[in-house]
Amino acid sequence: MSSHFYPLEPLLQRIISPLDRFRQNAMAGGLVLIATTLIALVWASVQGMDVVHHFWEQTLGLSVGEHFTFELSWHHWINDGLMALFFFWWGLS
């Protein structure tokens, strides 16, 4: 049986291994929440809530030709897409 070598496997392993070790740490979730909360508080204090609200209402989407367009605001991408991936990923572990 021949062994298959995938050229990107070592690169992906170097990227995923530290992230996986961090995710398995009991304090990792709390550290991420505290850091993002502090960043959001500083950002809202410095720029003002109008700037923050305007940022979250900006649209980001995918378009294939003229017939298919899928656009959502940053707010909806996080609520609908990233949160589903988050709970799926943590549910598997």
Side-chain angles (χ1 to χ4, degrees):
M1 178 178 253
S2 67
S3 168
H4 293 288
F5 177 72
Y6 299 105
L8 292 178
E9 190 172 353
L11 174 65
L12 292 175
Q13 193 63 22
R14 282 194 311 239
I15 293 170
I16 293 173
S17 291
L19 292 174
D20 199 35
R21 283 194 307 272
F22 179 75
R23 187 181 61 85
Q24 291 175 356
N25 188 347
M27 291 181 9
L31 291 174
V32 170
L33 286 174
I34 289 171
T36 55
T37 300
L38 290 175
I39 291 168
L41 286 172
V42 168
W43 183 32
S45 297
V46 171
Q47 297 291 321
M49 279 304 297
D50 292 336
V51 173
V52 175
H53 180 72
H54 181 68
F55 169 78
W56 288 114
E57 294 306 317
Q58 294 293 315
T59 60
L60 176 70
L62 304 170
S63 175
V64 178
E66 297 177 7
H67 302 290
F68 178 76
T69 302
F70 183 71
E71 288 186 353
L72 294 174
S73 67
W74 281 101
H75 178 85
H76 285 104
W77 275 111
I78 290 174
N79 280 350
D80 298 343
L82 293 179
M83 291 300 285
L85 290 174
F86 170 80
F87 285 113
F88 178 72
W89 183 35
W90 283 92
L92 289 176
S93 59

